[in-house]
Amino acid sequence: MKTYLVGGAVRDRLLGLGHGDRDFVVVGETQATMEAAGFKAVGRDFPVFLHPETGEEHALARTERKSGRGYRGFVVDADPAVTLEEDLQRRDFTINAIAEDEEGHLIDPYGGVRDIEARVLRHVSPAFGEDPLRVLRAARFMARFAGLGFTIAPETMALMREMVASGELAELTAERVWQELRRAITSEKPSAFLRTLHDCGALAVVLPEVEALYGVPQRAEYHPEVDTGVHVELVCDMAAQLAPGDELVGFCALTHDLGKALTPEHVLPRHIGHESAGLAPLRALCERMKVPLEHRQLAECVCRDHLNVHRLPELRASTVFELISRCDGFRRPERIPRIALACEADKRGRAGLSDVDYPSGRLLRDAHAAAMAIRASDVPGELQGPELGEAMRKARIAAIAAATGKKP
């Protein structure tokens, strides 16, 4: 049995990165011979098997032929005559089209090692253009590897623009787009995902609410970067730095300023009321992409109240209590630290301001902790129902005032 390690495990080792799952390609076998050797078939769309001892995935070498529109329109051929080189040729990028045999020798027919050394993301063959999902994959790989100095090859960017112009990205399902997006916003540099899609025209197709922010000016004294699209890029990167791997905070960062795209031109560069204006496009985005409810609800909190959090040092204790209640922070206490982080990312996600202190975040967490410490048993008397609720409200406001030095 000719078995080769392929894909991300080989790529990441050559990049000096840690890697997760290892994937293997098997050449010259059939489903019958694999099962006879003890492998368990698990593939639905093409022949994939689990190793009887390690549980690692082994796929039969295969080719794919375009048979219709979209990323599902392919016919798979896993004939035993399919070669390793043919299997590698169907892959997306040269850096993912490198194999390693059992002796550790690399098989690199398409120059993947060269492109790893040059830090270039380049498509393997014209077949790249047959799968619209690969445009999003290119952007997601940039979100992961831009920090290592990767760029997209000019010919690959040109092909991606052609793919967008063809209209095939409209064939992508909401679930697949969301899957790529959630992985991008938890990567090291989400801005590279947004910038790549913006540059090839795909952002207007998959995230039109975010695309609409590019070119919208803001007041330079608050936003030295001026362009709202650039600001959102910076905020997403800051969120990834403050809350690495937290897709809830990342999604809030991405969507907090959608209302600025709706500001009337004669009002610019001011954005009065952009917080409430942003709720409608946020809800439209979430509905279209079938975003999980917790992501949507938390993003609405940040969209609606991020300026109030910024102004927290100026607010009375009762107003802080109302903000926490409005965000359901007493029933869902885990929300408040995430809201604080998303708002900090907004404040520090600005050109030249990445190192500024953000006391509002600490103040919000301290106020929340003080209010959460109040229990019904702390309230004197035998109160019930609305009377107990009102007594709890007053006690929590008093606790916030005591913890933060604010007026009730």
Side-chain angles (χ1 to χ4, degrees):
M1 186 177 292
K2 296 180 180 178
T3 303
Y4 302 88
L5 182 66
V6 294
V10 179
R11 176 199 67 221
D12 289 351
R13 181 178 65 78
L14 294 174
L15 283 168
L17 303 174
H19 58 81
D21 296 337
R22 302 196 309 162
D23 296 319
F24 296 85
V25 159
V26 181
V27 176
E29 302 295 333
T30 66
Q31 179 160 342
T33 62
M34 293 293 287
E35 291 179 341
F39 287 80
K40 178 182 178 182
V42 294
R44 183 180 65 178
D45 300 323
F46 49 84
V48 179
F49 306 85
L50 298 182
H51 191 282
E53 296 178 2
T54 67
E56 293 175 319
E57 288 192 357
H58 287 60
L60 296 184
R62 67 185 189 272
T63 60
E64 295 172 349
R65 176 173 53 84
K66 185 74 168 175
S67 62
R69 287 180 65 83
Y71 66 94
R72 290 175 171 169
F74 291 90
V75 173
V76 174
D77 178 12
D79 189 275
V82 174
T83 67
L84 175 64
E85 288 73 17
E86 288 173 326
D87 180 274
L88 295 175
Q89 188 179 37
R90 69 171 174 80
R91 296 173 184 269
D92 47 12
F93 304 106
T94 60
I95 65 171
N96 295 330
I98 309 168
E100 182 180 301
D101 66 19
E102 293 174 334
E103 285 74 43
H105 301 130
L106 295 180
I107 298 91
D108 179 27
Y110 304 107
V113 173
R114 175 198 62 212
D115 284 342
I116 283 176
E117 293 171 348
R119 299 298 194 254
V120 172
L121 197 64
R122 190 191 318 274
H123 63 285
V124 175
S125 76
F128 179 94
E130 297 176 349
D131 184 355
L133 187 62
R134 288 179 168 179
V135 173
L136 297 188
R137 281 176 57 81
R140 179 168 58 78
F141 274 117
M142 286 301 297
R144 182 178 179 192
F145 294 134
L148 298 178
F150 270 81
T151 59
I152 295 181
E155 63 269 29
T156 300
M157 179 58 76
L159 179 55
M160 289 164 60
R161 292 191 177 111
E162 291 176 13
M163 295 167 69
V164 173
S166 76
E168 279 223 4
L169 266 69
E171 303 291 329
L172 295 173
T173 66
E175 291 84 358
R176 292 310 298 267
V177 175
W178 172 246
Q179 183 179 352
E180 295 297 319
L181 175 61
R182 71 193 307 177
R183 294 174 73 179
I185 59 179
T186 55
S187 296
E188 181 183 341
K189 208 167 182 63
S191 63
F193 177 82
L194 299 176
R195 177 59 61 172
T196 299
L197 294 182
H198 173 69
D199 287 348
C200 74
L203 195 61
V205 179
V206 297
L207 288 171
E209 298 86 356
V210 179
E211 171 64 29
L213 297 173
Y214 284 87
V216 175
Q218 303 164 108
R219 294 173 64 180
E221 63 266 39
Y222 299 116
H223 290 275
E225 70 283 354
V226 180
D227 190 307
T228 307
V230 175
H231 168 58
V232 170
E233 290 181 5
L234 294 171
V235 175
C236 287
D237 283 354
M238 183 55 66
Q241 178 181 324
L242 294 173
D246 192 324
E247 65 184 54
L248 283 163
V249 175
F251 185 67
C252 292
L254 176 69
T255 58
H256 78 286
D257 262 353
L258 296 182
K260 288 183 176 177
L262 304 176
T263 301
E265 192 170 346
H266 71 275
V267 179
L268 296 174
R270 302 176 71 196
H271 292 278
I272 301 170
H274 75 274
E275 317 93 282
S276 57
L279 293 174
L282 170 59
R283 288 165 182 161
L285 184 158
C286 291
E287 189 69 25
R288 185 181 70 253
M289 294 186 61
K290 302 178 182 178
V291 174
L293 183 61
E294 178 59 14
H295 293 65
R296 172 175 173 161
Q297 291 177 340
L298 193 68
E300 288 187 9
C301 293
V302 173
C303 180
R304 182 188 60 235
D305 277 311
H306 62 277
L307 290 193
N308 288 327
V309 175
H310 294 339
R311 294 173 48 238
L312 214 65
E314 309 163 21
L315 304 182
R316 300 178 70 95
S318 58
T319 307
V320 176
F321 171 85
E322 290 165 4
L323 188 157
I324 295 171
S325 297
R326 193 162 55 243
C327 295
D328 207 12
F330 296 116
R331 290 195 315 122
R332 305 293 300 274
E334 73 279 0
R335 284 186 176 180
I336 299 305
R338 284 191 165 110
I339 291 171
L341 286 170
C343 292
E344 181 175 355
D346 174 38
K347 193 69 173 181
R348 295 173 59 186
R350 310 180 190 202
L353 299 176
S354 61
D355 294 327
V356 297
D357 189 29
Y358 190 64
S360 290
R362 294 191 296 273
L363 200 59
L364 178 60
R365 286 187 286 265
D366 290 347
H368 181 239
M372 284 293 294
I374 301 298
R375 297 287 184 265
S377 58
D378 299 325
V379 178
E382 299 294 327
L383 303 177
Q384 292 183 348
E387 291 183 343
L388 176 60
E390 177 60 18
M392 285 283 291
R393 186 186 74 84
K394 290 180 178 178
R396 282 176 163 169
I397 291 172
I400 292 172
T404 62
K406 290 180 171 294
K407 293 181 180 179

